């Protein structure tokens, strides 16, 4: 593993006794996983494909459509036909935490490449409206490809700066905000993550994340729900962003996330206790942070 | 430029798909068209469409690419063909190997007297090809080849 003293010092302080186990987990790639795209196939159907191709599989406890696999089945016809999506098992928890329903209006503010967008569409059964926004034109191509491949027909794609998205005045029942981050939870897949990590970068990203989070919150309808997520570890990109929403946005309330079978820890501050902190060694996945915030109806005097 | 099909255009599309594939379009859905050099691309949108949303936010893409009208022929996309489960014309039963060959961009033998755009099926697997004398050529787009 690449040595970065600043990274090591920061995480030793953040994780304490857990640090050694955490660093050790970054040496190994997370267990491969796929999510069955229920818009096109059932879980049993995909299990049959895996069996016929001698790929070992097991169900992922927190995601009914998720399967652990010992080999990523990327070259099968069923993959190109969109029967399943190769996706880190922990990121499946994000869409499940948002829990979109058919008929709702849902925004995925930083959508590319589309793993969570397509999961949301499947949960919505292609009903309602799913607005997938991505600012980077090159990343939109991947988003379009995955939306098409998965047979998503209730989505529209926009290319706007997420920070300014609230200026349009369009409101949503549910919003997923999976922000750009320092990616430490994916360090096992890319050596650059640790090499390029610095406290300065974290601070810069945190500032952007706070602006995105406030813009997203402003796009919620009354009683709407925002799920904020990152695939990183720093308190500045996680708990501090959630605290920023709770402190600066009217009627924001943090809610508990219920996902059985997913090993996680609580947020690191009193106010963010109901967030999920998932380090790679908890579930043999990437690392993630998930928070669920409701925009409560304002209290009305009778 | 993307625009919603008007009543007349929708009837024309429905007629074309019915004649070619024996498939009845669900006219309750929204269909959009986007003109391109190689034909008119048709997109299907099954969600709740709010035109006022589009007036406020410029939209890059909407719905699922259902197929392309080239001249007087409708060429379903891979995912459009998947949706046309109840189609009854120009459907060829294939084996898995034949579907895989077309998904690789290869040609397969045309054992019948089929001509024009055909949907090949093996159980729930689908692919689209164009049948000519002696062969069926793949219509799988580059990005979807295996």
């Amino acid at each position: 593993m690449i040595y970065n003293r600043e990274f090591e010092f920061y995480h030793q302080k953040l994780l304490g006794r857990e640090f050694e186990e955490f660093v050790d987990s970054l040496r190994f790639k997370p267990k491969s996983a796929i999510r069955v795209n229920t818009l096109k196939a059932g879980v049993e159907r995909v299990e049959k494909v895996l069996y016929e191709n001698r790929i070992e599989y097991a169900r992922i406890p927190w995601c009914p459509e998720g399967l652990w696999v010992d080999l990523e089945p990327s070259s099968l016809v069923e993959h190109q036909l969109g029967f399943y999506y190769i996706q880190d098992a922990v990121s499946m928890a994000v869409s499940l935490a948002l829990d979109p329903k058919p008929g709702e209006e849902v925004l995925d503010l930083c959508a590319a490449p589309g793993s969570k967008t397509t999961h949301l569409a499947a949960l919505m059964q292609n009903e309602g409206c799913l607005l997938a926004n991505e600012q980077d034109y090159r990343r939109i191509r991947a988003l379009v490809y995955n939306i098409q491949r998965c047979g998503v027909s209730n989505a529209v794609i926009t290319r706007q700066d997420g920070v300014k998205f609230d200026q349009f005045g369009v409101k949503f029942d549910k919003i997923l905000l999976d922000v750009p981050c320092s990616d430490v939870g994916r360090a096992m897949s890319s050596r650059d993550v640790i090499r390029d990590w610095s406290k300065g970068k974290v601070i810069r990203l945190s500032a952007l994340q706070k602006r995105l989070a406030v813009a997203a919150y402003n796009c919620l309808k009354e009683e709407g729900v925002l799920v904020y997520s990152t695939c990183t570890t720093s308190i500045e990109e996680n708990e501090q962003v959630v605290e920023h929403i709770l402190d600066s946005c009217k009627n924001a309330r943090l809610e508990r996330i219920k996902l059985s079978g997913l090993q996680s820890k609580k947020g690191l501050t009193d106010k963010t206790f109901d967030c999920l902190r998932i380090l790679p060694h908890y579930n043999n996945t990437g690392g993630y942070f998930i928070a669920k915030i409701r925009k409560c109806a304002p209290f009305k005097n009778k | 430029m993307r625009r919603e099909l008007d009543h007349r255009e929708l009837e024309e599309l429905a007629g074309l798909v019915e004649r070619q594939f024996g498939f009845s379009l669900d006219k309750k859905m929204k269909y959009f068209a986007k003109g391109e050099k190689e034909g008119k691309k048709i997109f299907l949108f099954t969600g709740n469409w709010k035109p006022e949303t589009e007036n406020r936010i410029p939209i890059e893409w909407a719905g699922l690419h259902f197929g392309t009208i080239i001249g007087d022929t409708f060429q379903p996309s891979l995912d459009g063909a998947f949706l046309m489960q109840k189609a009854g014309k120009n459907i060829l039963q294939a084996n898995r190997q034949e579907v895989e060959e077309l998904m690789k961009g290869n040609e397969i033998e045309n054992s019948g007297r089929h001509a024009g755009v055909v949907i090949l099926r093996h159980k729930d697997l689908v692919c689209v090809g164009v049948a000519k004398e002696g062969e069926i050529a793949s219509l799988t787009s580059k990005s979807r080849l295996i």
Side-chain angles (χ1 to χ4, degrees), chain B residues 16 20 37-40 68-75:
Chain B
L16 189 57
Q20 232 180 294
K37 274 182 194 170
E38 62 271 29
K40 188 159 77 174
T68 308
I69 300 173
I70 304 167
D72 57 357
T73 303
F74 180 72
Q75 186 179 299

Side-chain angles (χ1 to χ4, degrees), chain B residues 1-4 32-36 41 43 54 59:
Chain B
M1 187 71 183
R2 182 177 39 78
R3 59 182 178 77
E4 192 177 340
F32 295 99
K34 195 176 172 189
E36 303 224 344
K41 280 190 170 179
F43 294 84
E54 187 159 14
I59 283 169

Side-chain angles (χ1 to χ4, degrees), chain B residues 82-98:
Chain B
F82 187 84
L83 292 176
M84 292 162 64
Q85 299 282 344
K86 290 181 181 166
K89 282 187 199 171
N90 288 316
I91 307 295
L92 307 186
Q93 295 304 323
N95 59 39
R96 185 178 175 99
Q97 200 186 343
E98 288 172 322

Side-chain angles (χ1 to χ4, degrees), chain A residues 39-41 45 48-49 52-53 74-83 103-105 125-131 137 140 144-145 147-160 165 168-172 221, chain B residues 2 29-30 32 43-50 52-67 77-80 82-83 85 96 99-101 103-104 122-127 140 142-146:
Chain A
L39 293 175
K40 287 200 166 176
R45 168 70 176 95
K48 193 173 170 226
V49 175
E52 285 168 355
N53 285 277
S74 57
S75 59
L76 299 179
V77 178
E78 284 84 352
H79 181 241
Q80 274 304 359
L81 288 177
F83 286 20
E104 286 184 331
E105 290 173 0
Q125 297 167 30
N126 259 340
E127 293 173 26
C129 190
L130 174 58
L131 199 151
Y137 186 73
I140 282 186
V144 167
Y145 164 77
I147 281 180
Q148 181 72 27
R149 182 174 67 86
C150 291
V152 174
S153 56
N154 69 334
V156 294
I157 297 176
T158 58
R159 183 161 65 96
Q160 299 297 324
F165 209 86
F168 299 113
V170 180
K171 303 286 182 189
F172 297 88
K221 292 179 185 173
Chain B
R2 182 177 39 78
M29 303 299 172
K30 302 272 185 206
F32 295 99
F43 294 84
L44 163 70
F45 188 79
T46 57
N48 307 333
W49 183 256
K50 286 189 173 172
E52 63 268 26
T53 304
E54 187 159 14
N55 295 337
R56 291 182 189 179
I57 316 174
I59 283 169
E60 295 283 317
W61 177 281
L64 182 78
H65 178 215
F66 183 61
S77 69
L78 205 51
D79 309 286
F82 187 84
L83 292 176
Q85 299 282 344
R96 185 178 175 99
V99 171
E100 282 176 348
E101 284 305 313
M103 288 292 288
K104 286 175 184 168
H122 172 67
K123 298 176 182 170
D124 56 356
L125 303 181
V126 293
C127 61
T140 310
K142 259 188 197 170
S143 65
R144 302 292 291 275
L145 295 175
I146 58 168

Side-chain angles (χ1 to χ4, degrees), chain A residues 47-118:
Chain A
E47 283 178 331
K48 193 173 170 226
V49 175
L50 298 173
Y51 177 78
E52 285 168 355
N53 285 277
R54 296 179 182 182
I55 296 170
E56 286 187 25
Y57 63 89
R59 295 210 177 179
I60 296 172
W62 59 88
C63 180
E65 312 85 39
L67 296 168
W68 301 112
V69 286
D70 69 342
L71 196 74
E72 287 183 357
S74 57
S75 59
L76 299 179
V77 178
E78 284 84 352
H79 181 241
Q80 274 304 359
L81 288 177
F83 286 20
Y84 54 85
Y85 197 112
I86 298 168
Q87 184 180 357
D88 185 6
V90 72
S91 80
M92 299 172 196
V94 178
S95 310
L96 294 172
L98 188 65
D99 190 26
K101 304 287 184 210
E104 286 184 331
E105 290 173 0
V106 178
L107 168 65
D108 185 357
L109 195 56
C110 306
S115 55
K116 296 172 200 76
T117 312
T118 52

